[in-house]
Amino acid sequence: MRIALEAAQAAADAGETPVGAVIVDPATGEVVAVGANQPIGSHDPTAHAEVVALRAAAAKLGNYRLTNLTLYVTLEPCAMCAGAISHARIGRVVFGAEDPKGGAVVHGPRFFEQPTCHWRPQVEGGVLAEESSAMLKGFFQARRRAKP
């Protein structure tokens, strides 16, 4: 999760919402891919940290199925990202801060609990949640102060 927080800080430094993700092979401890939010800079509304990391991991491994891997992300995934996680068949998702407004794992549609969800990863929330939340709050407070 510390690597995901570093990626989130890199996103913030680039003017993006500070969300970071990392995909790890728990069998070896290898970091397979890292992603940071980049929809603004890449002009891509799907370039959330999770999707960026999933794409990089799939390209590196030559397979879109990432079944035995763990995704760490600093913020509860949204519905789009939860769908991508399910399609990638990620084995486990660990997230930091909950997102009552836009989250789709423990809030909103609770994507992985839906009967139409074809793949359900193990989910653990609240890992380094305070640090993840503080980064997001600080980012948005600074943006509000900067507006005239």
Side-chain angles (χ1 to χ4, degrees):
M1 188 61 86
R2 292 273 176 219
I3 296 169
L5 282 165
E6 290 171 10
Q9 184 60 57
D13 293 345
E16 304 275 1
T17 300
V19 178
V22 61
I23 296 176
V24 175
D25 182 341
T28 64
E30 175 192 3
V31 172
V32 178
V34 177
N37 255 17
Q38 50 186 272
I40 298 168
S42 66
H43 310 290
D44 179 358
T46 69
H48 289 194
E50 301 94 310
V51 172
V52 171
L54 290 168
R55 287 176 178 160
K60 180 177 181 176
L61 299 175
N63 192 340
Y64 76 97
R65 291 190 174 179
L66 307 173
T67 308
N68 295 317
L69 303 181
T70 299
L71 169 70
Y72 294 87
V73 60
T74 58
L75 183 65
E76 176 185 350
C78 69
M80 176 186 70
C81 292
I85 290 163
S86 179
H87 282 283
R89 293 172 169 78
I90 285 286
R92 182 171 174 236
V93 175
V94 179
F95 68 87
E98 289 187 7
D99 185 358
K101 185 176 178 182
V105 177
V106 297
H107 293 93
R110 298 180 184 212
F111 189 91
F112 301 127
E113 295 176 22
Q114 299 307 310
T116 54
C117 179
H118 70 280
W119 180 266
R120 293 169 180 82
Q122 293 177 345
V123 175
E124 178 183 353
V127 176
L128 297 181
E130 289 182 24
E131 291 177 50
S132 298
S133 181
M135 187 180 296
L136 285 157
K137 287 177 184 174
F139 176 81
F140 287 112
Q141 285 172 349
R143 289 181 64 113
R144 282 191 292 276
R145 283 192 297 266
K147 289 188 178 184

